[in-house]
Amino acid sequence: MEGAAAIFITLLLALLTIFFFTVVDPGRKKWSKKQKLPPGSLGLPLVGQSLQLLRAMRANTAEKWLEDRVKKYGPVSKLSLFGSPTVFMVGPAANKFMFTSDSDTLSNEQTRSSHMILGERNLLALSGDNHRRVRAALMSFLKPEALKDYVRKMDEEVRMHIDTYWKDRQELKAMPLMKTLTFDIMASLLIGLERGPQRRNTIAAFQEMMLGVWAVPLNLPFTRFNRSLRASRRLRNMLTELIREKRRALEEGRASPRDDLITCLLCVRGEDNEEAMTEEEILDNVALVMLAGYDTSSAVLTFFIRLLANDPDIRGNVLQEQEEIMRRKKPEEPLTWQDLSKMKYTWRTATELLRVIPPVFGGFRKALKDIEFNGYTIPKGWQVFWASFPTHMDEAIYAEPWKIDPSRYDSRTAEVPPYSFVAFGGGRRICPGIEFARLEILITVHNLVTRFDWKLCCRDDTFRRDPMPMPNQDLPILVEPKRRFCQTSVA
């Protein structure tokens, strides 16, 4: 069967190649004659270099793959990714161009696979006035002023997770638990879904949907992409019913705009008191926010746990900061916004993790017109692909770039040049969920380090990307409760 499948795929690609060159893009060659395209090759139609990149990510060699590409072609080159001709660019100047260009030059763009899975009205698919309108609606919930009211609720969710999965346990696998935690936080604060069968069904569909977002968009029965599309339909049906339930609760006075993200978006009003977002937009953007926050936060928290196990100096500094906050509070007293503002060293450590192991490997934009950059033409309609790693690991910007050094972001040291740290994007394109992620990371780290000590119990703590960074053994750890915490709780 495997041999027959391989032959089928080979024949299919051959037919697609003939079709592409003769029908879809007969004018492909004229681009190089009329315009100075970046160096590089577009490879096979539809597939291009997609499989090469995905294989490199899963083998954790994607950084070297990009590095070799830059050495061969320079900081700007052409290739084909996920079914579209693409220009890849690196460096602070490229990052600035990507994140500050107006909506008439570059539009938000997502891969064809993510576009089909997430829908047409999510923030990544919109531009111009629609992008500004939807972003403003999301920020009504995600901005710091609004999130202050959710610190206690998030702290309660983290404590409940620890009591359920960490307490009275000696050996744990960190990665699956951090995924469970981040989904539970999102289920509670973003979609207002209580614990139970409905939440379990939602996470099952959500996890399967995610697998196809960075996949070759071949909608055939045996592909990951096909399974992801089917899971996406199941999830959208669940969320659609949830949205309608919350709308009825609002109409009957049983809900408040401050309950969760969905209810908040249902209450946002545009001009002339019209709804600022349609049901389809709410559906697409709730799915996007869940997708953006799930693997990213769980990855940062997992590698934070690994870092504290491997680096006693950083662990000591983080623990000192968190215990000082705990000493000023009564036993079992929840965290506050003011407490989080004192966790400066902990957040600088998280920032360094985001630089060295960025959860988001890169992203896409789309050229809305022919663009000149660095002496080359980016043709209208092409994707533009950026990756954080080449800039984050530039020795001209960061001394000893592989070293995790939280003091890089100390206000007493030299500032990092603009657009050299792009783990959250930058400029007008900065991630709207950055503050939500900060709360999630700080609250979780506080509760873990003040309640437990741990050490790794695996020889291999390397990781792969699929597409987010994942430890190869899910990071097993040996956990020991802190006696001081136990004594304080009893008191």
Side-chain angles (χ1 to χ4, degrees):
M1 287 296 291
E2 292 182 1
I7 293 172
F8 174 76
I9 293 173
T10 301
L11 290 173
L12 177 64
L13 291 177
L15 289 172
L16 287 171
T17 301
I18 295 171
F19 178 76
F20 187 86
F21 278 108
T22 59
V23 180
V24 177
D25 189 21
R28 187 183 194 190
K29 292 184 179 179
K30 70 183 180 182
W31 287 332
S32 59
K33 295 178 180 178
K34 294 177 63 177
Q35 304 159 327
K36 186 180 179 183
L37 296 181
S41 168
L42 295 178
L44 286 173
L46 189 63
V47 176
Q49 288 80 12
S50 304
L51 297 178
Q52 297 175 30
L53 175 59
L54 290 173
R55 278 196 298 267
M57 292 177 74
R58 288 166 192 159
N60 199 24
T61 58
E63 288 84 356
K64 185 166 189 314
W65 190 82
L66 292 180
E67 185 180 336
D68 291 344
R69 184 171 189 86
V70 173
K71 288 179 180 178
K72 184 175 181 179
Y73 297 117
V76 183
S77 62
K78 69 175 181 290
L79 69 165
S80 177
L81 291 175
F82 309 110
S84 298
T86 304
V87 170
F88 168 58
M89 54 176 62
V90 300
N95 294 337
K96 182 178 181 180
F97 168 73
M98 293 286 287
F99 298 125
T100 62
S101 292
D102 60 53
S103 58
D104 295 326
T105 303
L106 286 180
S107 72
N108 282 329
E109 178 70 353
Q110 49 189 343
T111 64
R112 187 174 300 175
S113 52
S114 63
H115 183 82
M116 294 174 68
I117 290 168
L118 293 175
E120 299 180 355
R121 302 299 298 174
N122 74 75
L123 194 65
L124 295 180
L126 300 175
S127 59
D129 290 340
N130 282 329
H131 179 272
R132 286 188 288 272
R133 176 178 57 82
V134 171
R135 183 184 175 92
L138 289 173
M139 288 304 297
S140 66
F141 180 87
L142 295 172
K143 63 184 178 181
E145 294 80 4
L147 289 175
K148 288 181 180 180
D149 297 331
Y150 296 95
V151 173
R152 184 188 186 105
K153 190 173 183 180
M154 192 179 291
D155 188 33
E156 289 174 354
E157 195 70 44
V158 173
R159 291 181 185 220
M160 188 180 300
H161 167 87
I162 288 176
D163 288 339
T164 303
Y165 297 102
W166 289 65
K167 193 176 180 181
D168 302 324
R169 297 278 298 277
Q170 290 184 323
E171 186 171 340
L172 303 169
K173 288 192 173 183
M175 188 73 184
L177 286 181
M178 291 302 98
K179 284 179 175 290
T180 299
L181 172 61
T182 53
F183 185 85
D184 282 339
I185 289 173
M186 290 191 305
S188 176
L189 273 72
L190 299 185
I191 62 178
L193 195 59
E194 299 299 326
R195 293 172 181 266
Q198 190 177 9
R199 185 185 284 193
R200 290 194 295 271
N201 292 336
T202 302
I203 190 173
F206 175 73
Q207 288 175 330
E208 190 167 5
M209 180 196 77
M210 289 189 59
L211 295 176
V213 173
W214 277 53
V216 177
L218 285 174
N219 190 13
L220 299 173
F222 54 82
T223 63
R224 172 185 285 194
F225 180 66
N226 176 267
R227 294 193 300 272
S228 182
L229 276 178
R230 287 187 277 118
S232 175
R233 287 192 288 270
R234 294 199 306 273
L235 180 66
R236 293 173 74 85
N237 288 337
M238 295 175 192
L239 291 179
T240 297
E241 181 56 34
L242 191 61
I243 291 170
R244 292 172 183 173
E245 288 177 6
K246 292 182 180 298
R247 191 187 299 276
R248 287 193 295 270
L250 280 169
E251 292 170 352
E252 296 169 4
R254 296 183 288 105
S256 162
R258 297 171 61 178
D259 288 348
D260 51 69
L261 176 61
I262 289 180
T263 312
C264 175
L265 295 180
L266 285 170
C267 295
V268 173
R269 290 290 179 266
E271 296 179 2
D272 300 324
N273 203 36
E274 296 179 352
E275 290 185 357
M277 295 181 70
T278 65
E279 184 174 287
E280 181 186 6
E281 287 174 335
I282 293 174
L283 181 64
D284 289 358
N285 284 282
V286 167
L288 173 65
V289 172
M290 290 174 64
L291 178 74
Y294 176 68
D295 266 350
T296 51
S297 294
S298 61
V300 176
L301 287 169
T302 299
F303 285 97
F304 211 125
I305 290 171
R306 186 183 78 153
L307 173 65
L308 296 185
N310 289 333
D311 193 317
D313 291 335
I314 290 179
R315 179 181 176 85
N317 290 335
V318 168
L319 183 58
Q320 180 180 358
E321 181 174 78
Q322 298 301 333
E323 286 187 333
E324 179 61 29
I325 292 169
M326 191 175 67
R327 276 194 290 269
R328 298 172 181 267
K329 305 179 73 65
K330 297 177 182 178
E332 300 298 322
E333 183 182 352
L335 289 169
T336 65
W337 182 264
Q338 289 71 28
D339 293 329
L340 301 185
S341 67
K342 300 171 184 175
M343 301 181 186
K344 293 181 171 57
Y345 183 86
T346 305
W347 181 242
R348 289 200 295 266
T349 303
T351 302
E352 268 290 83
L353 273 173
L354 285 160
R355 182 185 66 83
V356 177
I357 311 175
V360 178
F361 186 78
F364 295 88
R365 300 285 183 266
K366 183 177 181 179
L368 298 180
K369 58 185 177 183
D370 288 353
I371 302 169
E372 298 298 320
F373 181 81
N374 206 31
Y376 297 107
T377 298
I378 304 173
K380 178 182 177 180
W382 280 36
Q383 287 184 150
V384 186
F385 173 52
W386 64 273
S388 53
F389 169 81
T391 311
H392 287 184
M393 290 295 141
D394 189 338
E395 292 184 352
I397 300 172
Y398 298 99
E400 299 181 275
W402 284 106
K403 180 182 179 182
I404 295 180
D405 180 9
S407 69
R408 296 183 201 275
Y409 310 99
D410 194 315
S411 59
R412 295 169 294 182
T413 62
E415 292 186 359
V416 176
Y419 299 98
S420 297
F421 175 78
V422 289
F424 291 103
R428 70 184 71 184
R429 304 291 189 182
I430 196 164
C431 173
I434 181 173
E435 198 61 36
F436 188 92
R438 189 179 77 89
L439 265 63
E440 200 170 23
I441 292 166
L442 293 179
I443 291 171
T444 302
V445 170
H446 171 84
N447 280 284
L448 288 180
V449 300
T450 56
R451 290 187 62 171
F452 300 99
D453 291 313
W454 62 82
K455 62 181 180 180
L456 302 185
C457 55
C458 58
R459 294 181 179 179
D460 177 16
D461 67 347
T462 58
F463 65 94
R464 66 192 186 280
R465 285 187 175 272
D466 194 22
M468 299 290 177
M470 301 174 62
N472 286 320
Q473 296 184 30
D474 286 335
L475 200 70
I477 56 175
L478 290 174
V479 177
E480 182 179 352
K482 285 183 177 292
R483 293 182 178 178
R484 284 173 294 178
F485 184 89
C486 296
Q487 292 170 351
T488 303
S489 300
V490 171

